[in-house]
Amino acid sequence: MQTINFSKPLNRMLAGLVLMSLPLAVVGQANSGSVSSGPSYEDILQGFADSSRWLTYSGDYSSKRHSPLAQITPENVQQLRPVWTFQTGTTTRGRGFETTPLVDEGVLYVTGSNNYAWAIDAKTGRSFWQYRRNLPSDLTYGASSPVNRGFGMLGNSLFMVTLDAHLLSLDRRSGEILWDVVLADYRVGYAATMAPLVIDGKVIVGISGGEYATRGFIDAFDPVTGERIWRFNTIPGPGEPGSETWPDDADILARGGGGSWMNGSYDPELDLIYWGVGNPNPDYFGATRPGDNLYSNSIVALEAATGQLRWHYQFTPHDLHDWDSNQIPVLAEIEWQGQPRAVVMQANRNGFFYVLDRVTGELLLGKPFTGTTWAREIGSDGRPIVLNDGSKGCLPDPWGGTNFMPPSFYPELDLFFLTARETCATFVPEEPQLAPGQASFGGVVFIDNEQGSGALRALDVHTGELRWEFTYPSPSFGGVMTTASGLVFAGDHEGNLMAFDAESGENLWHYQTGSRIWGAAPMTHILDGRQYVLIPSGTTLTAFALPEE
């Protein structure tokens, strides 16, 4: 492992020449030479207040991905140019780089495929250190999806989950391991791919593997010692609340799925964590699991102190199509029917956009944002009114009407921006043979690729109505970011990073990255008075900025 590390990026080229031969120096020192203590919980709590930082996966705890930066505007965005690229040299079976870089004191902290990680000079794209985990050769879910979506950070510690279902703490100054704890047994189908959520005194992580005979959970760990503080099982045990929505069979509950593989959001005033839960297992075969199958396909609001469930809302009861709910929950304060309301919003894989009361979980709005024929409205009981179970034509494919790629909310416009997918699939269920470490989808899916398309869509959060859209030639997985200057940045499956006017939807700028943008969203920060926009794509991280004057 390379450990070339030096202080806050001042006169980088000279410093690099001097320190190349040193075994260890310090990334992130202040100009005075004192060693930085790194960001605190209070710093993360401030979100975008310091525009030189991006300290958590979504930029702040609300997950709006709406930056206050305004140096790059609709008037000058056409001048945006790449200023450096960082090549990872890793591959992910057609998917690519899904991370969101964190940045502090001019240093980017980035994770990549197969549990690589780097500290990178945010000015030049040069690597300070590289970490690579020695992964076992008998990975299960981790072998089929060898991705990682980013670090969590607190002080001088970085937190990363691994494909063999561990949680690591690394020293951000050197990339050295501080502690390593096991989340679950990867050999039966578990893995971990999400970016940890760091709150006050806790590192919150979820787990992947819902396509295997596994049971999902959300864990909280002590950031200093790695000791587990609490666990919330996303599939209840026998006799626990929610177990009545499953067969009375402990073995079925123990392999019920419910992966928690994408990031949650956090309300520090309510001290509640909001987290999306994945599909039940088997994915497509429901005969052996009659009932609604809680808490699969739900959002859960958990007390951060204890992990206790405060409330839940299930988007797709008894899911048969792998339309999990691992999409990012977005927290906002909006005016609702003339009164201020604290809400949580989610564009769900089932093709509906939801607005829920953040305190109680009350459903305020549920409207389709795609052309799905599966359902077109939510009943008075909060459940979708199913019109087409698949017998009346095609349904959205297993990737759904949207997926894990982050959306964005623009508060001043009350617009929710997301990547939508229009697809056509036929599901054929088959009873699976269950075996540890073997996937158990429970059927096959036939997708009509000729009917697929994608779009960037702007939704009115009060009504769910479409304000505008920009159509993509194929179903896409690129995420979204907005900025206070009136811009929307988004990527598509053809590899284009684009900028749009947030009010009109006019496409103002694009750059061909050379590889599809899959699951990643742009991020932005200020360095030495200059605004940068970064996008991971394929095996490359590219930084953009306006020309220097």
Side-chain angles (χ1 to χ4, degrees), residues 122-210:
K123 187 82 169 185
T124 67
R126 185 170 67 86
S127 172
F128 295 130
W129 55 253
Q130 172 182 291
Y131 169 81
R132 179 187 180 186
R133 182 164 180 80
N134 292 321
L135 292 164
S137 60
D138 57 344
L139 292 174
T140 51
Y141 180 87
S144 62
S145 184
V147 301
N148 189 278
R149 300 187 178 98
F151 280 123
M153 180 161 59
L154 183 68
N156 280 317
S157 296
L158 300 168
F159 306 98
M160 179 175 70
V161 296
T162 71
L163 298 173
D164 55 345
H166 286 230
L167 171 63
L168 310 180
S169 174
L170 291 78
D171 189 314
R172 74 168 185 160
R173 298 162 296 188
S174 64
E176 299 292 339
I177 298 296
L178 300 175
W179 51 255
D180 178 341
V181 298
V182 177
L183 300 175
D185 186 353
Y186 74 88
R187 292 168 296 184
V188 301
Y190 287 104
T193 58
M194 48 81 67
L197 176 68
V198 179
I199 61 174
D200 189 13
K202 297 177 184 68
V203 180
I204 314 296
V205 298
I207 198 72
S208 301

XYZ file of all heavy atoms in Angstrom, residues 122-210:
680
model
N -7.410 17.145 -4.179
C -8.576 17.697 -4.869
C -8.203 18.739 -5.916
O -9.015 19.068 -6.774
C -9.533 18.321 -3.850
N -6.971 19.224 -5.873
C -6.524 20.232 -6.844
C -5.988 19.585 -8.120
O -6.211 20.094 -9.223
C -5.429 21.089 -6.212
C -4.989 22.275 -7.058
C -5.932 23.446 -6.888
C -5.356 24.718 -7.507
N -6.224 25.884 -7.248
N -5.319 18.457 -7.977
C -4.612 17.871 -9.121
C -5.076 16.478 -9.500
O -4.760 16.000 -10.585
C -3.109 17.790 -8.816
O -2.898 16.842 -7.747
C -2.546 19.146 -8.407
N -5.779 15.794 -8.602
C -6.175 14.415 -8.872
C -5.098 13.395 -8.568
O -5.239 12.218 -8.897
N -4.011 13.819 -7.913
C -2.922 12.898 -7.592
C -3.232 12.156 -6.297
O -3.714 12.738 -5.327
C -1.597 13.656 -7.452
C -0.394 12.745 -7.225
C 0.911 13.520 -7.336
N 1.067 14.482 -6.260
C 1.589 14.198 -5.068
N 1.979 12.957 -4.797
N 1.727 15.129 -4.152
N -2.927 10.871 -6.260
C -3.210 10.050 -5.099
C -2.161 10.237 -4.013
O -0.961 10.232 -4.289
C -3.255 8.569 -5.513
O -3.344 7.728 -4.397
N -2.609 10.390 -2.764
C -1.714 10.418 -1.607
C -1.455 9.003 -1.089
O -0.337 8.653 -0.752
C -2.316 11.263 -0.480
C -2.471 12.712 -0.802
C -3.672 13.357 -0.575
C -1.428 13.437 -1.323
C -3.813 14.706 -0.849
C -1.559 14.790 -1.613
C -2.764 15.423 -1.375
N -2.545 8.233 -0.941
C -2.392 6.830 -0.548
C -3.500 6.004 -1.186
O -4.528 6.517 -1.624
C -2.357 6.636 0.972
C -3.500 7.180 1.797
C -3.471 8.275 2.614
C -4.837 6.638 1.921
N -4.692 8.457 3.238
C -5.543 7.467 2.833
C -5.497 5.554 1.364
C -6.879 7.247 3.194
C -6.830 5.319 1.705
C -7.508 6.162 2.611
N -3.233 4.710 -1.243
C -4.203 3.748 -1.786
C -4.347 2.596 -0.799
O -3.368 2.133 -0.216
C -3.736 3.201 -3.129
C -4.598 2.054 -3.665
C -4.077 1.503 -4.971
O -4.138 2.172 -5.993
N -3.543 0.279 -4.938
N -5.597 2.154 -0.613
C -5.874 0.972 0.204
C -6.571 -0.065 -0.675
O -7.420 0.272 -1.505
C -6.776 1.314 1.388
C -7.302 0.083 2.107
C -6.509 -0.588 3.034
C -8.573 -0.425 1.819
C -6.977 -1.735 3.665
C -9.045 -1.562 2.457
C -8.244 -2.220 3.371
O -8.703 -3.350 3.997
N -6.208 -1.329 -0.490
C -6.909 -2.420 -1.161
C -7.135 -3.543 -0.153
O -6.190 -4.013 0.484
C -6.118 -2.961 -2.354
C -6.850 -4.117 -3.045
C -6.016 -4.771 -4.112
N -6.741 -5.864 -4.755
C -6.214 -6.694 -5.651
N -4.960 -6.554 -6.019
N -6.948 -7.654 -6.178
N -8.377 -3.975 -0.015
C -8.669 -5.069 0.892
C -8.374 -6.400 0.216
O -8.710 -6.606 -0.958
C -10.135 -5.038 1.321
C -10.491 -6.150 2.319
C -11.801 -5.875 3.000
N -12.188 -6.896 3.956
C -11.724 -7.001 5.187
N -10.798 -6.138 5.611
N -12.150 -7.939 6.017
N -7.773 -7.303 0.977
C -7.562 -8.661 0.494
C -8.844 -9.456 0.710
O -9.136 -9.907 1.820
C -6.398 -9.319 1.240
C -5.067 -8.679 0.899
O -4.839 -8.326 -0.256
N -4.210 -8.508 1.885
N -9.615 -9.596 -0.352
C -10.920 -10.237 -0.262
C -10.804 -11.742 -0.468
O -9.947 -12.217 -1.229
C -11.864 -9.654 -1.318
C -12.265 -8.195 -1.087
C -12.853 -7.591 -2.348
C -13.246 -8.085 0.077
N -11.661 -12.531 0.178
C -11.635 -13.984 -0.030
C -12.072 -14.343 -1.437
O -12.784 -13.583 -2.102
C -12.622 -14.505 1.024
C -13.492 -13.348 1.340
C -12.663 -12.118 1.180
N -11.668 -15.508 -1.887
C -11.969 -15.939 -3.256
C -13.360 -16.532 -3.395
O -13.817 -16.770 -4.516
C -10.930 -16.980 -3.708
O -10.967 -18.117 -2.851
N -14.059 -16.761 -2.278
C -15.366 -17.408 -2.343
C -16.501 -16.456 -1.967
O -17.469 -16.840 -1.307
C -15.399 -18.640 -1.432
C -15.074 -18.318 0.028
O -14.536 -17.217 0.275
O -15.361 -19.157 0.901
N -16.379 -15.186 -2.398
C -17.448 -14.223 -2.169
C -18.754 -14.722 -2.785
O -18.752 -15.436 -3.791
C -17.095 -12.869 -2.771
C -15.957 -12.084 -2.129
C -15.662 -10.842 -2.956
C -16.284 -11.709 -0.701
N -19.872 -14.303 -2.218
C -21.193 -14.674 -2.742
C -21.809 -13.452 -3.428
O -21.465 -13.154 -4.560
C -22.071 -15.224 -1.612
O -22.058 -14.314 -0.498
C -21.542 -16.579 -1.146
N -22.680 -12.733 -2.738
C -23.247 -11.521 -3.345
C -22.148 -10.539 -3.750
O -22.242 -9.873 -4.783
C -24.216 -10.837 -2.381
C -24.822 -9.583 -2.957
C -25.971 -9.643 -3.733
C -24.223 -8.330 -2.763
C -26.514 -8.491 -4.286
C -24.757 -7.183 -3.311
C -25.905 -7.265 -4.068
O -26.440 -6.126 -4.627
N -21.104 -10.440 -2.971
C -20.026 -9.510 -3.268
C -19.310 -9.778 -4.568
O -18.727 -8.873 -5.163
N -19.352 -11.034 -5.043
C -18.723 -11.359 -6.323
C -19.572 -10.876 -7.489
O -19.053 -10.490 -8.539
C -18.497 -12.864 -6.431
N -20.907 -10.888 -7.323
C -21.792 -10.487 -8.418
C -21.987 -8.981 -8.475
O -22.384 -8.451 -9.517
C -23.157 -11.169 -8.254
O -23.785 -10.764 -7.042
N -21.708 -8.280 -7.397
C -21.887 -6.831 -7.357
C -20.750 -6.206 -6.552
O -20.957 -5.712 -5.441
C -23.242 -6.501 -6.720
O -23.490 -5.124 -6.747
N -19.537 -6.204 -7.117
C -18.352 -5.799 -6.333
C -18.159 -4.286 -6.238
O -17.097 -3.758 -6.553
C -17.218 -6.461 -7.102
C -17.685 -6.453 -8.521
C -19.175 -6.669 -8.467
N -19.200 -3.569 -5.790
C -19.166 -2.111 -5.781
C -19.054 -1.583 -4.359
O -19.254 -2.304 -3.386
C -20.429 -1.529 -6.452
C -20.530 -2.015 -7.889
C -21.692 -1.914 -5.677
N -18.747 -0.302 -4.252
C -18.783 0.387 -2.966
C -19.184 1.832 -3.221
O -18.743 2.445 -4.191
C -17.433 0.331 -2.256
C -17.521 0.846 -0.835
O -17.479 2.043 -0.595
N -17.669 -0.071 0.112
N -20.016 2.390 -2.332
C -20.617 3.700 -2.611
C -20.055 4.833 -1.771
O -20.566 5.943 -1.840
C -22.136 3.603 -2.486
C -22.684 2.588 -3.481
C -24.182 2.523 -3.570
N -24.512 1.536 -4.593
C -24.834 0.266 -4.343
N -24.885 -0.177 -3.092
N -25.104 -0.555 -5.330
N -19.013 4.551 -0.974
C -18.362 5.670 -0.336
C -18.013 5.460 1.121
O -18.421 4.503 1.769
N -17.241 6.415 1.629
C -16.826 6.444 3.022
C -17.864 7.161 3.884
O -18.618 8.017 3.419
C -15.522 7.226 3.172
C -14.265 6.486 2.823
C -13.398 6.980 1.852
C -13.925 5.327 3.494
C -12.206 6.332 1.553
C -12.725 4.659 3.204
C -11.881 5.170 2.227
N -17.844 6.860 5.179
C -18.293 7.764 6.213
C -17.050 8.344 6.856
O -15.966 7.758 6.794
N -17.174 9.517 7.501
C -15.984 10.155 8.067
C -16.339 10.839 9.381
O -17.394 11.453 9.514
C -15.397 11.173 7.085
C -14.152 11.889 7.597
S -13.153 12.667 6.292
C -14.323 13.786 5.548
N -15.435 10.725 10.349
C -15.546 11.418 11.629
C -14.142 11.578 12.186
O -13.408 10.590 12.333
C -16.417 10.641 12.606
C -16.671 11.313 13.964
C -17.540 12.560 13.785
C -17.335 10.340 14.934
N -13.766 12.809 12.513
C -12.409 13.055 12.987
C -11.399 12.593 11.947
O -11.541 12.872 10.754
N -10.409 11.854 12.374
C -9.424 11.317 11.442
C -9.712 9.868 11.072
O -8.818 9.151 10.611
C -8.018 11.449 12.032
C -7.461 12.862 11.862
O -7.609 13.457 10.802
N -6.862 13.399 12.909
N -10.956 9.454 11.259
C -11.353 8.094 10.902
C -12.259 8.097 9.681
O -13.157 8.934 9.556
C -12.094 7.427 12.071
O -11.248 7.267 13.187
N -11.997 7.138 8.800
C -12.864 6.852 7.662
C -13.499 5.485 7.891
O -12.849 4.574 8.407
C -12.063 6.818 6.361
C -11.323 8.091 5.965
C -10.353 7.796 4.813
C -12.301 9.187 5.555
N -14.766 5.336 7.494
C -15.477 4.083 7.702
C -15.931 3.537 6.349
O -16.531 4.250 5.552
C -16.670 4.293 8.629
C -16.282 4.940 9.934
C -16.438 6.309 10.119
C -15.729 4.192 10.958
C -16.063 6.917 11.305
C -15.338 4.783 12.153
C -15.505 6.148 12.323
N -15.623 2.253 6.110
C -15.957 1.611 4.848
C -16.460 0.200 5.102
O -15.867 -0.540 5.902
C -14.737 1.554 3.921
C -15.015 0.866 2.577
S -13.617 0.922 1.412
C -12.456 -0.187 2.198
N -17.548 -0.174 4.423
C -18.021 -1.555 4.480
C -17.374 -2.344 3.353
O -16.865 -1.778 2.380
C -19.556 -1.625 4.385
C -20.198 -0.941 5.586
C -20.061 -1.013 3.072
N -17.412 -3.676 3.462
C -16.669 -4.510 2.517
C -17.548 -5.595 1.904
O -18.606 -5.951 2.434
C -15.466 -5.178 3.201
O -15.942 -6.193 4.105
C -14.626 -4.159 3.958
N -17.063 -6.156 0.821
C -17.786 -7.195 0.088
C -17.840 -8.511 0.848
O -18.677 -9.365 0.532
C -17.152 -7.399 -1.287
C -17.189 -6.167 -2.202
C -16.388 -6.419 -3.472
C -18.612 -5.773 -2.538
N -16.972 -8.682 1.830
C -17.062 -9.854 2.699
C -17.748 -9.502 4.022
O -17.547 -10.161 5.042
C -15.695 -10.504 2.933
C -14.653 -9.539 3.478
O -14.883 -8.316 3.423
O -13.609 -9.994 3.957
N -18.589 -8.450 3.982
C -19.496 -8.099 5.076
C -18.775 -7.737 6.366
O -19.094 -8.235 7.441
C -20.514 -9.211 5.316
N -17.776 -6.857 6.252
C -17.106 -6.272 7.410
C -17.337 -4.763 7.399
O -17.706 -4.171 6.374
C -15.600 -6.526 7.373
C -15.207 -7.933 7.687
N -14.232 -8.240 8.620
C -15.637 -9.126 7.202
C -14.077 -9.554 8.689
N -14.914 -10.105 7.827
N -17.083 -4.133 8.529
C -16.999 -2.680 8.641
C -15.594 -2.336 9.116
O -15.116 -2.885 10.116
C -18.035 -2.147 9.633
C -17.918 -0.660 9.998
C -18.137 0.232 8.789
C -18.909 -0.301 11.119
N -14.942 -1.431 8.372
C -13.574 -1.037 8.677
C -13.527 0.413 9.136
O -14.311 1.251 8.679
C -12.678 -1.161 7.444
C -12.705 -2.457 6.643
C -11.739 -2.334 5.461
C -12.367 -3.645 7.514
N -12.580 0.698 10.009
C -12.194 2.067 10.320
C -10.759 2.255 9.848
O -9.878 1.469 10.200
C -12.296 2.328 11.819
O -11.782 3.609 12.134
N -10.524 3.286 9.023
C -9.194 3.589 8.501
C -8.756 4.956 8.998
O -9.579 5.865 9.166
C -9.184 3.598 6.969
C -9.358 2.306 6.191
C -10.814 1.871 6.162
C -8.852 2.463 4.758
N -7.470 5.102 9.207
C -6.888 6.404 9.510
C -6.833 7.203 8.210
O -6.200 6.781 7.238
C -5.476 6.229 10.076
C -4.893 7.527 10.612
O -5.005 8.560 9.924
O -4.315 7.493 11.714
N -7.504 8.344 8.174
C -7.571 9.084 6.912
C -6.232 9.685 6.511
O -6.043 10.061 5.356
C -8.634 10.184 6.998
C -8.252 11.390 7.830
C -9.242 12.516 7.600
N -8.833 13.732 8.287
C -9.277 14.936 7.972
N -10.131 15.095 6.982
N -8.875 15.997 8.644
N -5.300 9.776 7.439
C -4.000 10.355 7.128
C -3.079 9.372 6.427
O -2.142 9.772 5.739
C -3.345 10.857 8.409
C -4.127 11.959 9.112
C -3.726 12.135 10.561
N -4.029 10.950 11.357
C -3.911 10.892 12.687
N -3.498 11.962 13.351
N -4.200 9.798 13.341
N -3.342 8.062 6.592
C -2.425 7.067 6.051
C -3.099 5.926 5.312
O -2.458 5.206 4.562
C -1.592 6.467 7.194
O -2.448 5.763 8.100
N -4.400 5.728 5.540
C -5.081 4.571 4.974
C -4.891 3.301 5.780
O -5.326 2.225 5.357
N -4.269 3.390 6.943
C -4.045 2.212 7.782
C -5.325 1.826 8.522
O -6.115 2.685 8.919
C -2.929 2.480 8.796
C -1.579 2.813 8.175
C -0.945 1.634 7.455
O -1.327 0.498 7.766
O -0.068 1.861 6.598
N -5.528 0.523 8.727
C -6.699 0.019 9.417
C -6.593 0.286 10.926
O -5.584 -0.049 11.556
C -6.893 -1.492 9.174
C -7.108 -1.763 7.681
C -8.066 -2.036 9.979
C -8.360 -1.155 7.123
N -7.650 0.867 11.494
C -7.719 1.099 12.932
C -8.480 -0.021 13.632
O -8.089 -0.456 14.709
C -8.397 2.441 13.215
C -7.706 3.674 12.611
C -8.537 4.921 12.856
C -6.308 3.842 13.195
N -9.602 -0.448 13.048
C -10.311 -1.626 13.538
C -11.138 -2.240 12.415
O -11.396 -1.605 11.395
C -11.159 -1.354 14.786
C -12.121 -0.191 14.778
C -11.955 1.001 15.414
C -13.421 -0.134 14.153
N -13.057 1.807 15.214
C -13.971 1.131 14.457
C -14.162 -1.006 13.378
C -15.229 1.543 13.999
C -15.427 -0.611 12.913
C -15.938 0.649 13.223
N -11.522 -3.499 12.628
C -12.193 -4.297 11.603
C -13.188 -5.202 12.324
O -12.791 -6.016 13.163
C -11.141 -5.115 10.840
C -11.717 -6.033 9.772
O -12.921 -6.342 9.808
O -10.940 -6.460 8.893
N -14.502 -5.028 12.046
C -15.514 -5.854 12.701
C -16.353 -6.576 11.646
O -16.553 -6.077 10.533
C -16.423 -5.027 13.634
C -15.622 -4.388 14.747
C -17.200 -3.980 12.854
N -16.831 -7.752 12.008
C -17.659 -8.559 11.117
C -19.119 -8.142 11.272
O -19.635 -8.039 12.394
C -17.515 -10.061 11.450
C -18.437 -10.895 10.569
C -16.072 -10.503 11.279
N -19.794 -7.915 10.127
C -21.226 -7.637 10.131
C -22.045 -8.924 10.047
O -23.052 -9.079 10.744
C -21.592 -6.726 8.947
C -20.925 -5.353 8.892
C -21.304 -4.639 7.604
C -21.319 -4.518 10.099
N -21.628 -9.835 9.169
C -22.373 -11.080 8.936
C -21.470 -12.041 8.176
O -20.363 -11.679 7.752
C -23.656 -10.813 8.157
N -21.949 -13.259 7.977
C -21.176 -14.298 7.284
C -21.394 -14.170 5.777
O -22.468 -14.479 5.266
C -21.633 -15.678 7.775
C -20.788 -16.810 7.207
O -19.930 -16.548 6.329
O -21.007 -17.963 7.629
N -20.361 -13.702 5.085
C -20.481 -13.516 3.640
C -20.746 -14.823 2.912
O -21.312 -14.832 1.809
C -19.208 -12.854 3.078
C -18.007 -13.774 3.012
C -17.788 -14.573 1.890
C -17.096 -13.858 4.061
C -16.696 -15.422 1.825
C -16.013 -14.703 4.002
C -15.814 -15.483 2.889
O -14.736 -16.336 2.822
N -20.360 -15.954 3.492
C -20.459 -17.234 2.797
C -21.896 -17.679 2.581
O -22.166 -18.489 1.684
C -19.686 -18.299 3.563
C -18.172 -18.077 3.557
C -17.456 -18.963 4.541
N -17.864 -18.642 5.929
C -17.339 -19.220 6.989
N -16.397 -20.146 6.861
N -17.745 -18.873 8.210
N -22.837 -17.151 3.350
C -24.240 -17.533 3.151
C -24.968 -16.559 2.244
O -26.146 -16.775 1.931
C -24.988 -17.663 4.497
C -24.315 -18.697 5.380
C -25.096 -16.326 5.198
N -24.285 -15.469 1.828
C -24.909 -14.556 0.879
C -24.844 -13.092 1.242
O -25.326 -12.244 0.491
N -24.246 -12.752 2.380
C -24.174 -11.355 2.794
C -23.006 -10.635 2.119
O -21.990 -11.232 1.781
C -23.985 -11.261 4.305
C -25.207 -11.610 5.125
C -25.290 -12.847 5.783
C -26.254 -10.719 5.257
C -26.405 -13.167 6.556
C -27.370 -11.029 6.024
C -27.437 -12.256 6.667
O -28.535 -12.573 7.426
N -23.161 -9.321 1.967
C -22.096 -8.410 1.553
C -22.503 -7.029 2.034
O -23.625 -6.837 2.524
C -21.907 -8.427 0.042
N -21.625 -6.061 1.897
C -21.965 -4.684 2.250
C -21.352 -3.746 1.219
O -20.189 -3.911 0.841
C -21.485 -4.344 3.658
N -22.150 -2.762 0.767
C -21.738 -1.904 -0.342
C -22.025 -0.425 -0.117
O -21.580 0.407 -0.899
C -22.451 -2.329 -1.643
O -23.867 -2.255 -1.446
C -22.076 -3.746 -2.046
N -22.796 -0.077 0.905
C -23.248 1.306 1.069
C -22.211 2.167 1.795
O -21.251 1.660 2.361
C -24.590 1.319 1.818
C -24.634 0.468 3.081
S -23.922 1.250 4.549
C -25.111 2.559 4.787
N -22.435 3.477 1.746
C -21.571 4.402 2.478
C -22.126 4.575 3.887
O -23.292 4.949 4.050
C -21.511 5.751 1.768
N -21.351 4.320 4.930
C -21.855 4.460 6.291
C -22.375 5.872 6.579
O -21.851 6.868 6.070
C -20.629 4.136 7.147
C -19.791 3.243 6.283
C -19.974 3.775 4.895
N -23.413 5.930 7.407
C -23.973 7.191 7.885
C -23.433 7.435 9.294
O -23.681 6.645 10.202
C -25.501 7.120 7.905
C -26.237 8.330 8.477
C -26.078 9.537 7.557
C -27.713 8.014 8.687
N -22.681 8.522 9.460
C -22.069 8.831 10.756
C -22.880 9.923 11.439
O -23.083 11.010 10.872
C -20.611 9.288 10.585
C -19.998 9.619 11.940
C -19.799 8.210 9.873
N -23.381 9.625 12.639
C -24.100 10.613 13.423
C -23.366 10.780 14.754
O -22.212 10.364 14.879
C -25.581 10.214 13.605
C -25.704 8.879 14.347
C -26.273 10.133 12.250
C -27.142 8.509 14.682
N -24.013 11.357 15.747
C -23.340 11.638 17.011
C -23.072 10.333 17.768
O -23.984 9.711 18.301
C -24.220 12.559 17.853
C -23.497 13.080 19.081
O -22.268 12.942 19.148
O -24.174 13.628 19.972
N -21.802 9.916 17.787
C -21.416 8.740 18.545
C -21.789 7.419 17.926
O -21.683 6.379 18.598
N -22.186 7.415 16.655
C -22.586 6.160 16.027
C -22.238 6.155 14.540
O -22.328 7.182 13.865
C -24.095 5.922 16.176
C -24.567 5.775 17.622
C -26.058 5.607 17.698
C -26.510 5.563 19.152
N -26.314 6.879 19.825
N -21.876 4.975 14.060
C -21.710 4.709 12.631
C -22.821 3.740 12.252
O -22.879 2.628 12.768
C -20.335 4.104 12.322
C -20.190 3.847 10.834
C -19.214 5.022 12.822
N -23.703 4.159 11.345
C -24.873 3.366 10.965
C -24.608 2.714 9.616
O -24.217 3.391 8.659
C -26.145 4.227 10.879
C -26.260 5.151 12.100
C -27.371 3.343 10.731
C -26.419 4.462 13.411
N -24.821 1.397 9.541
C -24.587 0.673 8.295
C -25.727 -0.300 8.033
O -26.430 -0.726 8.951
C -23.244 -0.098 8.323
C -22.068 0.845 8.470
C -23.240 -1.140 9.430
N -25.882 -0.634 6.754
C -26.838 -1.654 6.332
C -26.120 -2.787 5.639
O -24.892 -2.793 5.515
N -26.904 -3.740 5.141
C -26.339 -4.975 4.592
C -26.988 -5.311 3.259
O -28.154 -4.982 3.022
C -26.531 -6.144 5.600
C -25.592 -7.315 5.293
C -27.991 -6.567 5.676
C -24.149 -7.032 5.627
N -26.224 -5.949 2.386
C -26.717 -6.444 1.100
C -26.898 -7.953 1.169
O -26.369 -8.614 2.062
C -25.712 -6.105 -0.014
O -25.493 -4.719 -0.106
N -27.625 -8.496 0.184
C -27.774 -9.946 0.098
C -29.206 -10.427 0.088
O -29.467 -11.604 0.354
N -30.171 -9.546 -0.215
C -31.579 -9.924 -0.195
C -31.978 -10.922 -1.250
O -33.087 -11.475 -1.188
